[in-house]
Amino acid sequence: MTTFSQLEKILSTKRCGAFALIDPDIKNDGNLADTVKKINQSGFDAILVGGSLILDNNFDNRIDFIKKNTQLPVIIFPGSSKQLSGKADAILFLSLLSGRNPQYLIGEHVESAPVIHSLGLEPIPTGYILLDGGSRTSVEIISNTIPLPMDKVDIILAHALAGQYLGNKFIFLECGSGALNHVSTTIIETLSKRLDIPIIVGGGITNATSSKSIANAGARFIVVGTHIENGASIEELREITSSI
Ligand code: 1GP
């Protein structure tokens, strides 16, 4: 069974699933074992692994460690074409649709595609839309793109529809790691009514009130990263995953 089929199966049984995000940077190595253990016990459906910047060369080892310590699907959420490993189950093959930087629209893809092929890694085409969550985030800086303002709902919808028509399997609405504001429910409601593909929502989700409103608005997966990294307890995380 492909990882994508596993995700589809999750969506056939619940209205909204939850991804835990691990930033596989050296700074998080000391907590990695505890983090994975906590995620395993907190009701998540899969683990995303990736970050805007990884300061060493141990991506593959960390994926290996995570994979060996969880039954959940491990999916690369790459910050660049250097974040690849055959030990993961799949990779979100992201196109940064909200920007006009060719490197993140097609450049990184051309560089990574032959490696993905040789590793036998399953690519999941995903239209990635960066929105302004009220703070300047790493993804904005590293990708050298400008996030779309959240009040331009028609423009965000146009990007998401273009992403669907280009054949993406998901639209990922992103406010960036540690965003002050998560994606507005108005945007999620508008897009979920018009798109035929599922919406993933990430950035700034730190409590069950937010996750519930995001799921109510029509998101099919939420992503939680910083809250886990900042030491949220299993109970707090379970409150989020059971709220959706
Ligand atoms: C970032 O959407 C993810 O790419 C998760 O965001 O770290 O704010 O949870 P947070």
Side-chain angles (χ1 to χ4, degrees), residues 131-137 140 147-150 175-176 178-182:
L131 303 174
D132 186 348
S135 50
R136 198 155 143 72
T137 56
E140 176 184 348
L148 301 178
M150 283 216 256
C175 277
L180 288 178
N181 311 312
H182 61 70

Side-chain angles (χ1 to χ4, degrees), residues 74-92:
V74 175
I75 304 170
I76 299 174
F77 174 44
S80 80
S81 55
K82 293 189 187 77
Q83 294 174 26
L84 299 172
S85 166
K87 287 157 190 151
D89 295 301
I91 180 168
L92 294 184

Side-chain angles (χ1 to χ4, degrees), residues 21 77 128 139 172-179 201-206 223-227:
L21 171 65
F77 174 44
Y128 190 58
V139 58
F172 191 138
L173 298 177
E174 171 74 274
C175 277
S177 211
V201 173
I205 301 173
T206 58
V223 184
V224 181
T226 304
H227 195 45

Side-chain angles (χ1 to χ4, degrees), residues 3-152:
T3 302
F4 181 68
S5 318
Q6 276 178 266
L7 298 180
E8 279 186 313
K9 201 171 161 198
I10 291 163
L11 291 181
S12 70
T13 60
K14 5 172 137 173
R15 70 167 182 163
C16 184
F19 295 146
L21 171 65
I22 297 179
D23 178 358
D25 192 18
I26 189 166
K27 69 175 188 293
N28 296 324
D29 273 358
N31 298 329
L32 192 56
D34 284 346
T35 302
V36 177
K37 209 167 154 193
K38 191 160 70 176
I39 290 168
N40 288 338
Q41 296 171 15
S42 299
F44 286 97
D45 296 292
I47 300 179
L48 301 185
V49 188
S52 292
L53 204 58
I54 294 175
L55 300 175
D56 67 8
N57 216 7
N58 279 329
F59 186 76
D60 193 61
N61 292 335
R62 294 187 185 108
I63 294 275
D64 191 37
F65 179 85
I66 295 165
K67 187 67 196 153
K68 283 181 175 148
N69 286 281
T70 189
Q71 303 289 326
L72 297 171
V74 175
I75 304 170
I76 299 174
F77 174 44
S80 80
S81 55
K82 293 189 187 77
Q83 294 174 26
L84 299 172
S85 166
K87 287 157 190 151
D89 295 301
I91 180 168
L92 294 184
F93 201 61
L94 301 172
S95 198
L96 181 43
L97 301 173
S98 50
R100 297 296 180 272
N101 181 346
Q103 183 187 352
Y104 292 97
L105 283 166
I106 187 62
E108 297 283 319
H109 313 68
V110 172
E111 285 182 24
S112 59
V115 185
I116 289 173
H117 187 262
S118 68
L119 291 171
L121 195 54
E122 177 191 336
I124 302 176
T126 302
Y128 190 58
I129 297 179
L130 182 60
L131 303 174
D132 186 348
S135 50
R136 198 155 143 72
T137 56
S138 304
V139 58
E140 176 184 348
I141 297 164
I142 299 292
S143 70
N144 196 20
T145 64
I146 303 166
L148 301 178
M150 283 216 256
D151 59 348
K152 303 282 186 210

